[in-house]
Amino acid sequence: MRHMLNPLDFSVEEIDRLLALADDIEHHLPKYAHVCDGKKLATLFYEPSTRTRLSFESAMLSLGGSVLGFSSADASSAAKGESVADTIRMISCYADIAAIRHPKEGAALVAAQKSSIPVINAGDGGHQHPTQTLTDLMTIHALTGRLSDMTIGLCGDLKFGRTVHSLINAMARYPDIRFVLIAPDELRVPSYIREDVLRARNITFKEVGNLDEAMPELDILYMTRVQRERFFNEEDYIRLKDSYILDRKKMKLAKPDMYILHPLPRVNEIATEIDDDPRAAYFKQAQYGVYVRMALIITLLGLEVK
Ligand code: NCD
């Protein structure tokens, strides 16, 4: 039985196969309408979500399966003190596959250890978010035709932003990837990413504070929200929340084919005036999220597509 807790749980070849499947799904949707007939997906969401939960549900419904679950800890027995380990044991009897989002780092791993069905990490605290990364990879590939030889700028909350950690993990395995990490000092990437991923793999990267200076060399700009819910005090959040605001003026510094990605939700970090710029790819990115999740469900359930 396979789980998806971290993008590194799949080899580069497996991820490439999954992206090829997602691409086929996008172009031949009706072919997949009954692949999951009779199967159930449980969505266990202990933290707020719009895109991730609904795209999982939409993915399973498009495959002919059904969904069950809860969308907040308050609405589950967690409110009565039940552990994730006990909940997943129960869910294993009710569903064929589960997607779990939890505020604690490692919660999905704990669930996977006790589960008898495949577990997908839909975000564990400030740690990892592998299905967002699959979405990001599909988007980058669709826009540029490649997953190699590019300079990727990651901007904003690189400390608590789990999408950033998973994306660096995944992209660092492709050839000739350079990272520009743009963050205020207090929101730099955690040392386990800097040392154990970037330095350990000899990846070209630099850490800078100024977005304007970084702009001209980027092929992809991955903007992120300052993760308010992970801050210890509100004052720090207020001080840091508007560190970067991408607007038309800043976009003048970018390459004509530099694409903007954002896992969403955005707060202030991308001005809405950018939304009509042909390089703004974040809404398209959200759409790819459904196809990659369909591909992941099929793959983890080991289903045949005829
Ligand atoms: C992200 C998350 O939950 O980490 N959202 C998402 O899944 N698309 C990013 C965020 O909340 O800022």
Side-chain angles (χ1 to χ4, degrees):
M1 192 179 47
R2 302 281 306 266
H3 305 289
M4 173 56 112
L5 306 177
N6 185 308
L8 303 185
D9 290 345
F10 277 43
S11 66
V12 172
E13 293 71 31
E14 285 173 319
I15 292 209
D16 289 348
R17 268 204 298 280
L18 201 137
L19 295 178
L21 177 57
D23 185 69
D24 192 66
I25 292 171
E26 180 189 5
H27 296 101
H28 305 98
L29 208 49
K31 190 171 115 190
Y32 294 88
H34 296 288
V35 178
C36 282
D37 276 359
K39 301 282 182 203
K40 289 183 234 125
L41 163 76
T43 51
L44 318 178
F45 277 60
Y46 296 84
E47 249 196 359
S49 168
T50 302
R51 265 151 303 273
T52 305
R53 186 171 61 83
L54 296 182
S55 64
F56 263 117
E57 297 194 357
S58 171
M60 192 49 155
L61 296 173
S62 298
L63 291 167
S66 344
V67 294
L68 65 163
F70 51 84
S71 56
S72 80
D74 297 348
S76 78
S77 277
K80 300 182 187 170
E82 185 169 63
S83 67
V84 166
D86 281 1
T87 302
I88 195 74
R89 283 195 175 185
M90 230 64 59
I91 302 296
S92 297
C93 314
Y94 305 154
D96 302 283
I97 185 165
I100 176 169
R101 166 171 290 191
H102 198 283
K104 285 212 178 105
E105 289 78 12
L109 174 63
V110 169
Q113 285 165 346
K114 297 288 175 195
S115 177
S116 50
I117 58 174
V119 170
I120 302 169
N121 180 7
D124 61 329
H127 187 220
Q128 297 283 330
H129 192 349
T131 61
Q132 180 62 47
T133 295
L134 295 175
T135 305
D136 302 340
L137 298 183
M138 183 174 183
T139 309
I140 295 171
H141 191 263
L143 294 170
T144 67
R146 64 188 197 280
L147 286 173
S148 56
D149 187 19
M150 61 176 73
T151 303
I152 304 176
L154 296 130
C155 177
D157 187 346
L158 309 190
K159 179 180 180 185
F160 296 118
R162 55 196 174 194
T163 62
V164 167
H165 308 155
S166 286
L167 185 59
I168 293 177
N169 264 354
M171 284 303 295
R173 297 194 293 181
Y174 290 90
D176 301 320
I177 297 297
R178 303 162 293 276
F179 292 106
V180 183
L181 306 175
I182 309 148
D185 244 5
E186 289 149 282
L187 298 179
R188 289 169 61 198
V189 285
S191 62
Y192 81 90
I193 297 286
R194 191 170 34 250
E195 303 304 327
D196 305 349
V197 182
L198 296 169
R199 292 224 165 94
R201 288 182 161 269
N202 248 331
I203 309 290
T204 306
F205 76 98
K206 60 183 168 190
E207 296 188 271
V208 301
N210 189 305
L211 175 57
D212 286 21
E213 282 169 23
M215 282 303 262
E217 63 179 305
L218 305 180
D219 299 303
I220 297 286
L221 172 57
Y222 195 92
M223 292 297 292
T224 64
R225 168 180 77 89
V226 175
Q227 307 276 301
R228 180 181 201 158
E229 63 277 34
R230 315 251 180 259
F231 276 70
F232 293 112
N233 71 69
E234 184 76 1
E235 271 164 41
D236 287 347
Y237 168 72
I238 289 169
R239 187 166 45 80
L240 292 165
K241 72 185 172 74
D242 293 328
S243 299
Y244 304 101
I245 297 178
L246 185 65
D247 56 13
R248 268 203 203 117
K249 201 165 138 237
K250 282 199 169 27
M251 283 304 289
K252 291 211 172 83
L253 305 168
K255 288 185 185 174
D257 58 352
M258 182 211 77
Y259 292 101
I260 312 158
L261 274 65
H262 190 308
L264 303 178
R266 84 170 134 193
V267 186
N268 283 330
E269 59 279 359
I270 301 181
T272 51
E273 65 185 21
I274 303 291
D275 294 356
D276 298 326
D277 188 306
R279 296 167 289 182
Y282 29 94
F283 291 115
K284 186 79 190 150
Q285 189 182 353
Q287 190 185 338
Y288 287 133
V290 178
Y291 307 129
V292 290
R293 289 182 174 101
M294 289 173 75
L296 182 63
I297 291 169
I298 293 173
T299 305
L300 289 178
L301 288 176
L303 298 170
E304 286 286 314
V305 184
K306 287 177 209 95

